[in-house]
Amino acid sequence: MSMQNHGERNAGEIPCFQCGVCCVRWQPLLSPEEIRRLSQDLGISPRTFKRRYTRPYPLRRGWRQLKAGAAGCVFLAYQGSRALCTIHAVRPQVCRDWMPSLDKRECQEGLRKLNEQGVVTLDELYAAAEDRQRFTEA
């Protein structure tokens, strides 16, 4: 996943429209600390978490990569045309740092995908007026 300094704003940054493209395309690396935090939140041991949800990452000792299922990240779920992160509140830092933007291919692809599914108006993209305004400004 592309990383950006936390809190830094990109001119094309938009509110996420939950297309799921970034979560299908990228599976983040997890540090041992993140594995402990996520496993604790799920109420399982780090060993069980690693076995169920990750695979070894050979280029960094001790790090693991989230598994990808048929629909992307193992923690990605769909509700209609919208992708939802089932661990959103405790998601890995790299996922927190991801900033949706009209400049990113993933977001452009997601917008096309939603358009093909018939989600074409700002009201359909975003329920909140503030999000519609941010998208328009971008």
Side-chain angles (χ1 to χ4, degrees), residues 112 117 126:
R112 281 191 298 276
Q117 295 171 352
Y126 302 114

Side-chain angles (χ1 to χ4, degrees), residues 5 10 25 30 32 35 44 48 58 60 67-69 72 78 83 101 113 135:
N5 290 337
N10 178 331
R25 186 158 298 149
L30 302 175
I35 290 169
I44 58 177
T48 299
R60 286 179 99 170
K67 286 181 182 175
Y78 285 89
S101 168
K113 177 179 139 186
F135 182 84

Side-chain angles (χ1 to χ4, degrees), residues 29-109:
L29 295 181
L30 302 175
S31 68
E33 294 79 26
E34 283 187 306
I35 290 169
R36 280 192 292 280
R37 182 176 56 79
L38 288 165
S39 64
Q40 182 178 16
D41 187 73
L42 293 171
I44 58 177
S45 72
R47 184 178 184 171
T48 299
F49 179 88
K50 287 190 283 190
R51 190 179 71 249
R52 285 184 191 168
Y53 303 117
T54 71
R55 63 178 178 234
Y57 186 71
L59 301 178
R60 286 179 99 170
R61 184 176 157 92
W63 286 65
R64 308 283 293 187
Q65 188 170 33
L66 278 181
K67 286 181 182 175
C73 175
V74 69
F75 292 109
L76 183 65
Y78 285 89
Q79 188 174 49
S81 62
R82 300 308 172 121
L84 304 171
C85 176
T86 61
I87 60 167
H88 192 265
V90 294
R91 67 195 182 279
Q93 188 62 49
V94 70
C95 299
R96 292 172 187 276
D97 290 343
W98 174 263
M99 297 295 172
S101 168
L102 292 175
D103 297 334
K104 292 189 174 163
R105 286 183 297 228
E106 294 83 358
C107 297
Q108 293 167 12
E109 183 180 328

Side-chain angles (χ1 to χ4, degrees), residues 16 27 89 121:
C16 180
Q27 282 67 55
T121 67

Side-chain angles (χ1 to χ4, degrees), residues 121-138:
T121 67
L122 280 179
D123 288 340
E124 291 170 314
L125 278 176
Y126 302 114
E130 177 184 308
D131 289 343
R132 291 190 297 272
Q133 180 65 34
R134 281 185 52 212
F135 182 84
T136 302
E137 289 171 0

